[in-house]
Amino acid sequence: MSINTGRERMPSNESCRSSVVPLSVPHIAGNEWTYVKECLDTGWVSSVGAFVERFERHVASYVGAKYGVATASGTAALHLALQVAGVRPNDEVLVSTLTFIAPANAVRYLGAWPVFIDAEADYWQIDPYRVQTFLEKECVARQGHLYNRASGRRLAAILPVDVIGHPCDMGPIHEVAQKYGLPVVEDATESLGAWYRGQKVGRLSSIACFSFNGNKLVTTGGGGMVVTDDERFAQKVRYLSTQAKDDPIEYIHHEIGYNYRLTNIQAAVGCAQMEHIDEFVAAKRATAERYTARLRGIPGITPAREAVWAKSSFWMYTVLLNPEILSVNRHDVLKQLKGRGIESRPLWQPLHQSRAHSSSHAYGGPVAERIQRQALSLPCSVGLSQSDQDLVTDALIDICQKK
Ligand SMILES: *Cc1c(COP(=O)(O)O)cnc(C)c1O
């Protein structure tokens, strides 16, 4: 099971608030009602409308990118971003192994293959050193392209995923990408609002993807976006996301496209959400700070970390529970927290261990496996009160300190 379970996946006969303290629920407290009502009142409910354009402009300008193209989901954004970046059937794409499964699935949608790269131990992002050594040691250059020696396949792109709100160390990744002429498609779906060395996540690579699923920092119910400074990329993504219409009046199509559009109603929700993004990030960071202050120094618990070169959005607040020190394991802690009405969640099964991707290759993996065995994400809704935050840390410390 992944941590990707927001309110939207709750069974319908179950209250959204069945936990006393849920893991993460959307914060709807602004102009959402007003804007959605405007769509309904005017009849602009579908995939054309002023809110779609406004939402695209808002997100693009927030991250500092020139163009934003809204999509039906973050997964759809990744699918199209990889396609316009030049990924073709039977190519290979380097992907983080410690991530929600969506980016690896998007690679497979194109008939290409992920190569799973291990995480680094400190911030749990794709290990740039492993990216570098894989390309240098395991690949060979031929006629302007790089090929994996073992599989014979062409390397087409690097797809780093900024997991749980923290950016990857993009400097060395871009350096090696440039050296080999590989495009970098950034999966920033979990990290809207984060910074890397003074730059907002989403404008670090030539093309980046966001998600507005119900559990993400900003939600449209479901949705996504591709952001880029490259006008050709933006145009091509828009073209492919709207059934590749070459002549929209005569219905002439030169390529196979998709219906990957976001609706005006969804974008209306997104516009209202974006008006409060700075508050959302501030709330997440304040929760993280309070959690860390309470958990620091507790034997067996490693609080979430932030690199000196990063400003995390702390989309999720995730701790490590050391089984060599604690007498309870992560699984039992989750169950006991649940017994006290507190929802928590493990990270994802590393993808090199996933049956869904058992035909793909991996480069390393033990670091991701160790993180996954120990990691637990704590409640982190934007609206989480300080007293609920203390309830969570008190319960966690109590469970971990029981002999
Ligand atoms: C949420 C998420 C996505 C996209 O999810 P959608 O539900 O399709 O919007 C992609 N990658 C990662 C790492 C995610 O967490």
Side-chain angles (χ1 to χ4, degrees), residues 1 3 10 14 23 40 46 82 93 136 152 175 180 182 200 276 290 292 301 312 343 349 351 359 367:
M1 208 192 280
I3 61 172
M10 294 277 188
E14 199 179 315
L23 185 75
L40 301 179
S46 196
L82 288 165
V93 177
E136 272 158 18
E175 207 173 288
Y180 293 109
L182 290 172
K200 283 228 182 74
H276 296 281
R290 196 171 177 91
T292 297
I301 302 179
S312 176
E343 194 184 9
Q349 178 187 45
L351 293 176
S359 306
V367 179

XYZ file of all heavy atoms in Angstrom, residues 1 3 10 14 23 40 46 82 93 136 152 175 180 182 200 276 290 292 301 312 343 349 351 359 367:
202
model
N 0.848 -1.202 0.000
C 0.000 0.000 0.000
C 0.882 1.250 0.000
O 1.965 1.239 0.553
C -0.871 -0.016 1.243
C -2.170 0.732 1.024
S -3.012 1.003 2.575
C -3.775 -0.578 2.813
N 1.453 5.614 0.370
C 0.934 6.699 1.193
C -0.017 7.557 0.374
O -0.536 8.537 0.836
C 2.053 7.600 1.785
C 2.863 8.254 0.682
C 2.905 6.832 2.728
C 3.825 9.283 1.225
N -11.328 6.888 0.388
C -12.090 6.313 1.497
C -13.334 5.611 0.962
O -14.002 6.141 0.081
C -12.563 7.422 2.452
C -11.424 8.116 3.158
S -10.906 7.190 4.606
C -9.757 8.348 5.322
N -17.908 5.109 4.681
C -17.089 5.425 5.834
C -16.919 6.938 5.904
O -16.711 7.578 4.882
C -15.730 4.749 5.636
C -14.928 4.600 6.897
C -13.606 3.882 6.598
O -13.615 2.872 5.873
O -12.588 4.362 7.072
N -4.490 11.028 8.158
C -3.147 11.283 7.634
C -3.064 12.636 6.936
O -2.213 13.459 7.234
C -2.742 10.178 6.648
C -1.314 10.282 6.150
C -0.313 9.842 7.207
C -1.121 9.472 4.885
N -20.872 26.497 -12.665
C -22.204 25.905 -12.812
C -23.211 26.946 -13.292
O -24.045 26.676 -14.151
C -22.652 25.282 -11.486
C -21.748 24.175 -10.926
C -22.304 23.655 -9.599
C -21.567 23.028 -11.901
N -16.873 22.228 -18.597
C -16.032 21.197 -19.208
C -14.588 21.661 -19.397
O -14.103 22.514 -18.656
C -16.675 20.727 -20.512
O -16.096 19.511 -20.915
N 7.091 12.632 -20.756
C 8.083 11.661 -21.232
C 8.016 11.526 -22.751
O 9.038 11.455 -23.431
C 7.850 10.293 -20.575
C 8.211 10.199 -19.091
C 7.613 8.941 -18.474
C 9.732 10.215 -18.894
N 14.570 4.534 -19.099
C 14.497 5.791 -18.353
C 14.930 5.498 -16.914
O 14.424 4.559 -16.298
C 13.053 6.349 -18.362
C 12.962 7.618 -17.530
C 12.584 6.616 -19.803
N 28.048 6.101 -16.412
C 29.467 6.036 -16.757
C 29.972 4.597 -16.894
O 30.756 4.295 -17.781
C 30.291 6.798 -15.722
C 30.417 8.268 -16.093
C 30.732 9.158 -14.902
O 31.183 8.647 -13.858
O 30.506 10.384 -15.030
N 21.157 -3.603 -23.899
C 21.259 -3.135 -25.278
C 20.305 -2.003 -25.611
O 20.262 -1.526 -26.739
N 24.178 17.791 -14.306
C 25.540 17.776 -14.836
C 25.758 16.538 -15.711
O 26.218 16.640 -16.849
C 26.499 17.737 -13.646
C 27.844 18.343 -13.903
C 28.614 18.379 -12.589
O 28.271 19.197 -11.707
O 29.524 17.537 -12.441
N 25.737 13.658 -21.187
C 25.309 12.603 -22.104
C 24.125 13.016 -22.994
O 23.554 12.185 -23.703
C 24.958 11.335 -21.321
C 26.174 10.712 -20.666
C 26.332 10.757 -19.285
C 27.173 10.128 -21.439
C 27.457 10.199 -18.687
C 28.299 9.574 -20.843
C 28.435 9.612 -19.472
O 29.545 9.078 -18.893
N 21.063 13.832 -22.145
C 19.792 13.216 -21.764
C 18.834 14.248 -21.193
O 19.219 15.069 -20.357
C 20.029 12.145 -20.683
C 20.744 10.868 -21.106
C 21.063 10.024 -19.873
C 19.893 10.083 -22.095
N 12.521 27.390 -7.056
C 11.349 26.560 -6.771
C 11.407 25.247 -7.539
O 11.808 25.217 -8.704
C 10.074 27.310 -7.172
C 9.694 28.379 -6.157
C 8.204 28.270 -5.817
C 7.795 29.353 -4.836
N 7.721 30.680 -5.499
N -3.951 30.256 -1.729
C -3.483 30.053 -0.346
C -2.237 29.193 -0.246
O -1.904 28.713 0.841
C -4.617 29.431 0.474
C -5.803 30.339 0.587
N -5.843 31.393 1.473
C -6.946 30.387 -0.125
C -6.996 32.039 1.324
N -7.684 31.453 0.351
N 7.418 21.559 14.655
C 6.908 21.155 15.966
C 7.140 19.650 16.201
O 7.547 19.241 17.282
C 5.414 21.486 16.044
C 4.861 21.474 17.459
C 3.442 22.015 17.475
N 2.872 21.951 18.822
C 2.951 22.922 19.714
N 3.592 24.041 19.419
N 2.416 22.781 20.912
N 9.490 17.817 14.840
C 10.927 17.570 15.003
C 11.395 17.985 16.396
O 12.178 17.278 17.033
C 11.725 18.303 13.900
O 11.332 17.762 12.638
C 13.227 18.122 14.065
N 14.003 6.914 17.198
C 13.195 7.689 16.234
C 14.091 8.728 15.544
O 14.738 9.525 16.205
C 12.027 8.432 16.934
C 11.123 7.444 17.681
C 11.219 9.234 15.906
C 9.970 8.112 18.421
N 12.179 22.105 2.203
C 11.142 21.106 1.932
C 9.766 21.719 2.130
O 9.584 22.609 2.955
C 11.328 19.919 2.877
O 10.293 18.979 2.694
N -4.047 8.079 12.219
C -3.697 7.408 10.978
C -2.241 7.693 10.622
O -1.806 8.845 10.654
C -4.614 7.903 9.842
C -4.547 7.037 8.611
C -5.373 7.566 7.441
O -5.871 8.711 7.524
O -5.512 6.845 6.460
N 6.427 0.313 -1.335
C 7.350 -0.784 -1.629
C 8.310 -0.299 -2.713
O 7.846 0.196 -3.754
C 6.562 -1.990 -2.158
C 7.465 -3.156 -2.523
C 6.702 -4.280 -3.215
O 5.886 -4.053 -4.107
N 6.958 -5.498 -2.790
N 10.249 0.077 -5.967
C 9.696 -0.447 -7.225
C 10.490 -1.613 -7.800
O 9.944 -2.431 -8.529
C 9.564 0.688 -8.243
C 8.519 1.739 -7.841
C 8.498 2.889 -8.848
C 7.133 1.123 -7.716
N 9.849 -7.125 -14.558
C 10.653 -7.317 -15.770
C 11.671 -6.205 -15.981
O 12.424 -6.230 -16.951
C 9.747 -7.390 -17.002
O 8.766 -8.367 -16.828
N 19.424 0.536 0.032
C 19.177 1.754 0.832
C 17.677 2.030 0.875
O 17.092 2.257 1.940
C 19.943 2.976 0.253
C 19.660 4.223 1.075
C 21.437 2.690 0.183
